[in-house]
Amino acid sequence: MPSARHATLADVEPLGPVLADAFASDPLWQCVVADQDRWERRAPAMFTHEVEGRLRTGHAYTTDDLAGVALWAPPGFWRPRLTELLRSLLPMVRLTGLAGGMRGLRFLGAMERAHPAADHWYLALLGTDPAHQGGGVGSALIKPVVDRCDQDGTGAYLESSDPSNVAFYEGHGFRVTGEITAGGSPPVHLMWRDPIVPDDA
């Protein structure tokens, strides 16, 4: 069974391509970046930037074989700082182009408006190398934080942009609380997890 550990700066470069491969068939990303060649050329750099940013400002988990990565933001820090947004602008536009970037911005606005106000851990990104999917990597990567949520009595939140992943998250205690679309995007499921308190607590 895979086990998770904190990612380090040495893991950043290899984990960007892992996320790019994991999200290559994601419906939302396909809507924003329709050009597959552009995706293959630009997505690894953009996701590498995302891993580095979350590593510096949040919590990033991976496995020893770098088969996947989970990027979490702790309570009160889910919204990126302005400086981080500015740093991520160029890698994002290189990936999406101007038209895709505008679609992405509209969707990000919808995501921000739907974000819950209650304190929570935010799962910004979870991706597993396609060759390792179904092997327990995703479960291992979210376990440290959901266990902490149960211990601290804190909720957790995510947006699932691939309907096929909803059942996976439901298996870890999340439930669908809503759905958003923007700029012609496919529907994205909003999912919340209440902390699980043991019966003998």
Side-chain angles (χ1 to χ4, degrees):
M1 181 70 178
S3 60
R5 64 169 174 81
H6 284 284
T8 68
L9 286 175
D11 301 322
V12 169
E13 288 295 331
L15 286 177
V18 169
L19 280 175
D21 288 344
F23 283 94
S25 61
D26 182 89
L28 179 60
W29 279 108
Q30 286 187 330
C31 174
V32 175
V33 187
D35 185 333
Q36 187 62 30
D37 180 65
R38 189 185 190 103
W39 178 271
E40 292 175 359
R41 287 185 292 108
R42 303 292 191 183
M46 193 282 294
F47 282 109
T48 297
H49 177 86
E50 288 297 309
V51 174
E52 182 180 7
R54 289 290 178 181
L55 187 63
R56 295 182 185 280
T57 62
H59 290 243
Y61 290 89
T62 189
T63 56
D64 284 338
D65 59 357
L66 304 180
V69 59
L71 305 181
W72 290 90
F77 292 93
W78 65 266
R79 183 182 285 109
R81 300 185 181 97
L82 178 59
T83 53
E84 182 60 27
L85 286 173
L86 292 175
R87 285 182 65 242
S88 65
L89 184 60
L90 183 57
M92 180 64 75
V93 171
R94 282 177 173 166
L95 172 62
T96 64
L98 290 177
M102 293 303 295
R103 289 194 299 271
L105 284 174
R106 286 194 292 272
F107 192 83
L108 286 174
M111 287 172 57
E112 181 162 341
R113 289 189 294 273
H115 212 99
D119 278 350
H120 62 278
W121 281 82
Y122 173 50
L123 181 56
L125 283 173
L126 171 64
T128 301
D129 186 320
H132 292 84
Q133 288 175 2
V137 174
S139 296
L141 292 173
I142 66 173
K143 184 178 182 347
V145 173
V146 297
D147 284 353
R148 180 170 179 171
C149 288
D150 293 343
Q151 180 179 349
D152 297 344
T154 307
Y157 176 75
L158 60 87
E159 301 101 359
S160 179
S161 52
D162 188 339
S164 66
N165 292 332
V166 169
F168 166 79
Y169 290 119
E170 288 177 336
H172 290 278
F174 288 86
R175 69 182 191 278
V176 175
T177 59
E179 183 180 287
I180 56 174
T181 61
S185 74
V188 170
H189 293 91
L190 313 178
M191 304 190 73
W192 176 266
R193 183 185 186 275
D194 287 316
I196 298 173
V197 180
D199 293 336
D200 58 353

